[in-house]
């Protein structure tokens, strides 16, 4: 789990609670809640296929969970495979396949072990990367859509409130509380968009980018193994995919291993 | 039909009805309806060729209907064609052409059966994909345009209402109901954009993306058949186009067939 | 002329007239007209070279006129040239050059007749397509710019009105009519943007896209002729550029010709 | 100087003067001027390196000056160089280098005269084009930034004004003039963005595009000369870079020269 | 340090102080500060991985510091390496590696000294450039996000203030000061976005672009050295990466060296 997601959520809630103070009951209005949430979820359902839109809350939960993307471990694995393939031949990697967790790496290596042409392996893995990217984007865009329609239905709620309020504007002393309620949908719409929908979408997008990056590294590694490149050259190439921090960590751990 | 479109529509309507409550008559105003709808449809007609803009309601209906995109069946078909072409020769596929439903697959296979050069087949099918993409975008953008002009004409209606209202501002007691009516066009514009125009556009766009994806799969499949590739290699390549769920379904169904 | 442009314009005007009703005189204000129109046209002139910006009204008229883009006729012409070139040699097409209306097709064919290398023909025609695209975009973006500055100057007019109004706010009974006038510039800005400037820009952009599409078809056709490809293969390739409707029409007309 | 820049500026000023009328003094407020201008220029300075942001007024002046981009003369020059290189050899162009005004053309031709490999010449000139494009974009984006921050600081000024005004809201009769002043910063921000910053940015961007276009023409011309292509083929290729108007002018002038 | 960052910051602060005048205490409100800052920082934390979002203030400080990007020195260094490699062989550069400051240049040269294939060197360095670009974008987008959420939470704060205010609207004389406070969050949100978050993001983005540019130059230089190109041809190519100003400075300094 990414700690910043939780800290961020806590800060945002503290900010709201702080702002509302003791009058919390005032900003709670059930009809406003239904207009904003049902309306915007409704529009999101229209906009996305049921295979994605019905999972909207799962998608948000996915943003909170945060599977570690371990480029260092991946590089080490690829390096050891490269050495083994050189020593004992490509076919020797077959026994390692079942223990590989990443589908992408396992499928790619299996194709390599099966003797598939490098060009074909590259093509297959690139299609898989495209599909992963598209699948992620399909999921993340559900939250983007919700984040766009929540303020829209907030405004629709406020407009309905204003139209009803102004139509019967006779007693000026009642305009305040009624307008207060009319505004609550706009507030709800903003809160949904700016806390629940859009920030998690952004986090998922960043993570998908990191995964694509790792896939590129794996692709280069597999091609290097298939073509029988020197493991050290492969290592050099794959190290280029690490962030500065990861590179330092990788190199210091190599030093330790050397002992 | 995509169930989420209907559920979404129902939710959005419930939200509005819930918000308006017993005073539904208040938010109905015929002149406001004409200003917003005629104005925004008018602008949409100016913006798009008649071949597309006159079909605006058909396009919305198309978003509600939801033809299934069956990648698994397509993969099975391509696999059986690949095996048949290997066993009995390319020409043997000619008898299967009439029973193929997808224009794209049939046209591509016919070219292959006719002995067209693979490079040319690729070019023809890629042009077809470009044209499909452009055609879909031309259609979908009609809804985008409506979704952009509806709030604009909603605001124009409200501005006209305000200008007329303020010009004769003498009796303060009448300002409320008049302003209420002035605001109704903005409400209508928002409802059109956020329920009727933009969400269906998004759904059509997602679907077009899935179709393009399937076309890419068919293209790879046909090229593989023409080049006489091993059916299993082709299968491996095309499986990369399936979503995770589809892949599981495909593999389990293969297992069953094996019995 | 595209019928939808006229119908759209009529609908938009009806909507406005309907909204204003009998008080049409109220929304007419000459100074507001000058602020909005002169200001936004001024900004547009600053933003675009005089060779384009001074022709702003011609550009709008161009959107109303609607030269037919006849892909079917173009395909037939290319097919007949292809057959003739096969039968009588490339040079025989020279006599057809003067009767060709499309500059693009004529220039390309002339280069072909002159024996220019196919690679060079492709390069020349692709530059021409780029230039056409850029030229169209330069023209269309004048309207986009106007459509962006018209509401901006509408708001500037309203701000000026409000500043002057509030500065001398002594007699509350005069605030209504003055504010009414202040708002008229915003109304004018919206009307210009949403009826006169942006929708025609969109239509011109769609049309330019169709023309580029036709140029791509002509380019493929000429290359096919120069390389002496079979006319039927060329036909098959070029048919991929037709929309579904055009394809049906083309094929049914071929059937008739066959009688 | 581009006449449309001046005409546009005049129109915009007339529009404002017309709108304000005899009460010009009312919309002048020195503190408002400082808040809007200093604040937005400050933000622009933070956003851009000093090598660009400190020249913000020079950049605006550059938009007003308008160096002619003479594609016809350039084509003629390249044509004459092509003929000379054919007749007297590449080396004969050395004597023409000092008289060439365009750095891009001169540097490219010098490389050609020095016997640089065509691939290398292409690479060098393409880097130069990229750098020119980036340099222009760096400059133009300073104005875009100012155009974005000016309305933002206009709104900040108005917000400050409102906060101060509302805090001491006791005498309702003073609210008008104070609010009038509060709004002036928003007005200033709009005027800066929509007259001084954004339209000139657009004009500079259009001009940079034309220059890039000419560079593409020169690049093609030099490559053609180096490869010893027929001058007429080169002419045909380069004519594709001319606009329709330029082409007519070029051809008619050629006719005259032929006398 | 880039002087324009400091000047810009000073100007913006002067503008605000000037606008507020002697009533500075009025625009200070601690709860408003917490709502806006905590809320928007919270949303930013949700949106970005903790490895980046927790460093938000470091990122801003990085925009203020301004490491010089010295293209001229880099070109000189590459030129001297090129000459040395020609005279004494590639391997002679090994002794220079430790003294090279730029990681990118050192890693690239080391690969060259190690005899890595030029294609592989190109691939490794291009991956490094992609990674640098992505890393920078990941950092900069934290500020973009803050700049987007700060006004959003400013508006949320104002909405909460309005809802609470209107709900208990009984004594009209208290509406002014309460509304004043409600507006302060919007003011804070605007100030954060337009001074602290967005302008530094822009400056970092410009700088990253310059660094990428320098990396392209280094890449070309190393490839040129590996391929044993003439140092003068390399110099000519790399000079194309210099800005006009840098080119003049480089050439005049070369002249001096010639003495």
């Amino acid at each position: 789990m990414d700690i910043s997601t939780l800290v961020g959520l806590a800060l945002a809630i503290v900010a709201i609670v702080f702002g509302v103070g003791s009058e919390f009951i005032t900003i709670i209005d059930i009809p406003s809640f239904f207009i904003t949430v049902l309306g915007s979820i409704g529009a999101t359902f229209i906009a996305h296929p049921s295979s994605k839109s019905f999972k909207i809350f799962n998608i948000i939960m996915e943003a909170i969970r945060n599977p570690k993307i371990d480029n260092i471990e991946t590089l080490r694995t690829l390096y050891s495979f490269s050495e083994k393939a050189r020593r004992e031949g490509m076919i020797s990697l077959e026994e390692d396949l079942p223990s590989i967790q990443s589908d992408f790496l396992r499928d790619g290596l299996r194709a390599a072990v099966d003797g598939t042409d490098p060009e074909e392996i590259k093509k297959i893995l690139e299609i898989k990367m495209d599909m992963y990217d598209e699948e992620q984007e399909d999921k993340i865009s559900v939250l983007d859509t919700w984040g766009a329609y929540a303020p829209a239905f907030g405004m629709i709620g406020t407009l309905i409130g204003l139209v009803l309020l102004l139509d019967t504007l006779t007693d000026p002393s009642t305009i305040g509380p009624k307008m207060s309620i009319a505004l609550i949908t706009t507030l709800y719409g903003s809160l949904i968009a700016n806390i629940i929908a859009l920030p998690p979408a952004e986090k998922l997008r960043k993570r998908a980018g990191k995964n694509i990056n790792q896939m590129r590294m794996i692709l280069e590694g597999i091609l290097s193994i298939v073509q029988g490149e020197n493991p050290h050259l492969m290592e050099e190439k794959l190290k280029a995919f690490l962030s500065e921090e990861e590179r330092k960590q990788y190199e210091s751990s190599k030093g330790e291993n050397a002992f």
Side-chain angles (χ1 to χ4, degrees), chain A:
Chain A
M1 183 187 285
D2 191 5
I3 185 73
S4 78
T5 310
L6 279 205
V7 174
L9 215 50
L11 286 182
I13 291 169
V14 165
I16 304 306
V17 170
F18 201 86
V20 182
S22 61
E23 298 165 275
F24 220 97
I25 198 73
T26 311
I27 71 156
I28 289 173
D29 185 62
I30 305 297
S32 298
F33 180 80
F34 279 115
I35 296 173
T36 315
V37 173
L38 290 190
S40 60
I41 295 259
T44 307
F45 280 8
I46 301 177
H48 290 273
S50 46
S51 63
K52 294 284 172 298
S53 58
F54 284 176
K55 292 182 188 151
I56 183 164
F57 294 107
N58 302 35
I59 299 170
I60 293 174
M61 290 315 294
E62 205 180 313
I64 294 178
R65 281 192 310 274
N66 191 34
K68 203 170 176 314
I69 299 171
D70 193 339
N71 284 326
I72 297 175
E73 192 49 41
T74 305
L75 174 45
R76 278 197 205 114
T77 306
L78 285 166
Y79 185 73
S80 71
F81 286 163
S82 175
E83 284 196 313
K84 189 171 177 187
R86 276 217 144 188
R87 279 196 321 266
E88 311 173 25
M90 199 69 207
I91 206 76
S92 72
L93 295 180
E94 189 151 30
E95 64 194 34
D96 298 301
L97 291 177
S99 63
I100 299 174
Q101 293 217 332
S102 147
D103 284 2
F104 188 78
L105 174 52
R106 194 177 51 244
D107 289 2
L109 263 190
R110 178 169 296 131
V113 168
D114 290 353
T116 314
D117 186 70
E119 270 313 296
E120 291 295 327
I121 296 178
K122 195 169 173 224
K123 197 173 214 170
I124 292 176
L125 292 182
E126 281 175 351
I127 295 172
K128 275 179 191 283
M129 283 168 69
D130 280 7
M131 288 301 115
Y132 173 82
D133 197 22
E134 223 171 77
E135 175 80 11
Q136 291 299 312
E137 197 49 42
D138 280 358
K139 257 181 11 192
I140 298 168
S141 61
V142 173
L143 296 187
D144 287 335
T145 303
W146 196 25
Y149 286 120
F153 276 86
M155 207 194 73
I156 286 173
T158 299
L159 279 170
I160 291 176
L162 284 178
V163 167
L164 299 182
L165 162 88
L166 292 165
D167 184 52
T168 56
L169 193 67
T170 48
D171 179 5
S173 74
T174 66
I175 193 173
K178 278 189 185 166
M179 199 141 178
S180 170
I181 288 174
L183 274 178
I184 286 178
T185 54
T186 294
L187 174 61
Y188 288 176
S190 290
L191 290 174
I192 291 172
N194 293 300
I195 299 180
I196 303 176
L198 298 179
E202 185 70 9
K203 182 152 272 171
L204 286 172
R205 197 164 272 125
K206 291 280 171 197
R207 204 184 297 157
K210 292 291 166 218
N211 273 321
I212 291 279
N213 185 21
Q214 191 181 58
M215 287 176 180
R216 279 183 64 195
M217 183 169 95
I218 292 173
L219 171 55
E220 287 295 337
I222 291 175
L223 290 180
S224 177
I225 293 173
V226 175
Q227 289 159 354
E229 271 182 23
N230 184 310
H232 287 289
L233 175 57
M234 181 190 90
E235 189 188 20
E236 215 50 48
K237 213 187 309 179
L238 300 199
K239 266 163 63 185
F241 285 105
L242 301 182
S243 71
E244 209 169 320
E245 220 170 309
E246 289 170 334
R247 193 149 35 220
K248 277 179 197 156
Q249 207 185 323
Y250 177 75
E251 271 157 12
S252 75
S253 79
K254 275 208 83 166
E256 283 167 28
N257 287 348
F259 279 104

